[in-house]
Amino acid sequence: MSKTEAIQPALEANFRWFERSGIMDPPDGSWGVAERILLTRNNTALSKTLQEFPARRNFGDYLAIEHRRPDCNFQTALAYALDGVFGDHPERLKTAEELLTFLYCRTAARNTHSPAFPYGTWRWSDDRWNVPVWYDDNSWCTLIPILLANLVPEWDEKFQLKESAAVTAHELYRAMILAEDRFGNFARAEFVPLWNGFPQKPHFGSLACMALAAVMLQNPRDDYRHLIESYHRFLERDYGGLNTSECSYALIGATLSAAAGCDTLDFARRTARMLLGHVVEATGNLPSENGREAPVGKHLVDLIYTFNWAVLGFQMLQTLEPAPEYQQFLDRSVALLLEIQDHTDCPGLNGCWRGMFDLEQRAYGGGDCYEGGANSIYSGWTNAPLNCFLNLYRQNSSFVSLANKTLFQGVKK
């Protein structure tokens, strides 16, 4: 069986995991998807994780961390929608639509009234009485509605996907402008207290550029282009200091920005070369280097903060400017993902990709952080993005294609 032929069984197993593990309960998506499954046995970060994320349900061998993150729900909706269209599974389009109904009509996670918080931005829906407005989360909450609107145009009319995305994007733009001082530096400015994250890091700033670029692909804006190009000039000052995780986010942001007409294509090319220079030839792995959020090591496949984003970034760059070295990385990555998909006979694991794989042990492992590591199994950020990547791989497509209305006009069902 070829890699392409093996993708649909892998996707089917992954959708079964979403629907049987308890992470999406009920399994029709009508009450959204939880952030992650958490394995408790030998989890060195368990105490810290439970302290930070107290809303949970116990399934015996594992917990479901129950707060609803809009970015995770959007990513999961996209995974279902892509298979509903490209895999000819109309029932998955219905699940995606239920997830969107949950997001826009049930979560109360989007600010439409309070003047105390940025208008049109999204927060987590959980039991902590604070309003964390994250740069990275809101960036995905901008990009994905646009992708979904292009994929299924009638959803745009039903949920005003592009209109709401444009509002969120402009708040991101305003926050990034405030974070940029007159010397072109970017920081978590004290005068932007409602925004969480560190825009000087691509994890946050490059994803904001991604979001602005997605809006620009619908309607060009010079103010957004100037900010994006200023941000990339800032990143170039300490370009060599970026680890593989930050480079993966930077590749996504620079590539979509280039597709939107920004002068960032050379930055994307150099970032891709830097990432390829870190690939371990014997395994095809992109080493885990993000010590703040996940264990590090050349033998560790970080599927929350690194590898999962790198494959999407290279897929996007391959659409924009095809190159044999990009395709080789993508081909090897697909083979690795198909090889390491979890087939453990447990509903909380079967069909998933866990947060970290240890290539030396040929098993999931490598350690834990309270938001990363092998014992965290994310709905969004890991499983939904990897599901999207595999589905788009067999279509020779990418987020660039979906975001660009001149390349992709949508498929009606």
Side-chain angles (χ1 to χ4, degrees):
M1 183 184 296
S2 70
K3 288 195 297 293
T4 303
E5 292 171 330
I7 284 175
Q8 188 60 39
L11 294 177
E12 294 295 332
N14 193 234
F15 287 122
R16 285 196 299 272
W17 172 79
F18 272 102
E19 293 159 13
R20 297 179 182 178
S21 64
I23 201 168
M24 188 166 67
D25 182 23
D28 64 358
S30 60
W31 205 242
V33 64
E35 183 193 67
R36 55 178 149 156
I37 295 297
L38 186 72
L39 305 182
T40 57
R41 184 177 301 174
N42 300 322
N43 188 334
T44 58
L46 182 62
S47 177
K48 171 71 170 175
T49 306
L50 298 185
Q51 177 185 346
E52 293 293 322
F53 304 104
R56 56 189 181 267
R57 285 188 301 151
N58 194 325
F59 287 84
D61 293 334
Y62 58 91
L63 306 174
I65 303 300
E66 280 290 335
H67 58 281
R68 265 47 176 168
R69 286 176 52 170
D71 55 331
C72 291
N73 278 267
F74 273 119
Q75 290 167 8
T76 303
L78 181 59
Y80 271 84
L82 285 171
D83 205 59
V85 171
F86 295 137
D88 196 25
H89 292 102
E91 74 280 4
R92 291 193 176 130
L93 282 174
K94 179 61 177 174
T95 301
E97 189 170 0
E98 288 288 350
L99 286 162
L100 291 177
T101 301
F102 169 73
L103 280 163
Y104 285 95
C105 306
R106 298 188 180 122
T107 60
R110 183 170 180 262
N111 178 31
T112 60
H113 284 80
S114 174
F117 297 95
Y119 181 75
T121 55
W122 297 80
R123 68 161 191 167
W124 296 3
S125 181
D126 67 0
D127 61 349
R128 292 173 295 182
W129 283 29
N130 57 10
V131 185
V133 180
W134 289 94
Y135 287 94
D136 50 346
D137 296 13
N138 276 275
S139 298
W140 292 113
C141 295
T142 300
L143 171 69
I144 293 178
I146 292 171
L147 304 186
L148 289 168
N150 287 341
L151 192 65
V152 186
E154 52 263 41
W155 289 350
D156 190 24
E157 181 178 353
K158 181 174 183 178
F159 298 106
Q160 292 79 54
L161 295 174
K162 288 188 178 181
E163 180 182 345
S164 67
V167 173
T168 309
H170 199 63
E171 291 296 336
L172 274 165
Y173 169 75
R174 291 177 61 191
M176 290 290 286
I177 284 290
L178 286 172
E180 181 187 25
D181 68 22
R182 63 192 180 94
F183 301 107
N185 297 311
F186 287 80
R188 184 178 181 174
E190 292 301 321
F191 47 85
V192 198
L194 299 177
W195 284 90
N196 284 12
F198 305 89
Q200 71 271 29
K201 294 181 178 296
H203 180 134
F204 303 98
S206 288
L207 292 186
C209 292
M210 170 196 77
L212 299 180
V215 171
M216 289 175 62
L217 280 165
Q218 318 311 306
N219 296 292
R221 291 188 60 135
D222 284 342
D223 51 351
Y224 289 6
R225 178 175 58 81
H226 291 319
L227 175 66
I228 288 169
E229 292 175 353
S230 173
Y231 184 73
H232 284 83
R233 287 193 296 271
F234 163 76
L235 288 183
E236 285 173 348
R237 298 179 195 172
D238 188 30
Y239 187 77
L242 299 179
N243 60 39
T244 53
S245 176
E246 297 294 351
C247 279
S248 298
Y249 294 110
L251 180 60
I252 290 173
T255 301
L256 198 61
S257 296
C262 300
D263 184 18
T264 59
L265 182 56
D266 187 59
F267 185 97
R269 293 181 186 125
R270 288 190 291 118
T271 303
R273 289 197 297 269
M274 180 179 289
L275 285 168
L276 291 175
H278 281 77
V279 170
V280 179
E281 180 58 33
T283 62
N285 183 38
L286 193 61
S288 177
E289 296 178 352
N290 182 13
R292 187 173 67 86
E293 295 175 303
V296 300
K298 289 187 176 181
H299 61 295
L300 298 179
V301 188
D302 173 18
L303 295 163
I304 303 174
Y305 301 105
T306 306
F307 193 84
N308 47 320
W309 304 127
V311 294
L312 286 170
F314 274 101
Q315 189 174 61
M316 293 163 68
L317 188 57
Q318 179 69 359
T319 296
L320 194 62
E321 188 179 68
E325 59 268 30
Y326 305 157
Q327 190 62 49
Q328 182 184 34
F329 175 79
L330 293 170
D331 293 343
R332 294 191 73 182
S333 297
V334 169
L336 178 60
L337 289 171
L338 294 176
E339 176 189 350
I340 70 175
Q341 186 176 25
D342 201 320
H343 297 293
T344 303
D345 188 18
C346 166
L349 299 174
N350 190 272
C352 80
W353 287 277
R354 303 192 205 177
M356 179 158 283
F357 191 86
D358 186 330
L359 289 166
E360 288 184 350
Q361 300 298 319
R362 305 304 304 176
Y364 281 103
D368 292 289
C369 296
Y370 79 98
E371 289 188 298
N375 284 308
S376 286
I377 309 167
Y378 280 79
S379 54
W381 287 68
T382 297
N383 282 275
L386 291 175
N387 188 307
C388 291
F389 164 70
L390 290 172
N391 220 325
L392 290 167
Y393 172 86
R394 63 179 180 171
Q395 305 300 325
N396 293 315
S397 188
S398 73
F399 285 176
V400 165
S401 304
L402 295 180
N404 191 334
K405 62 184 180 181
T406 63
L407 293 178
F408 187 88
Q409 297 298 329
V411 179
K412 292 189 176 183
K413 286 284 181 179

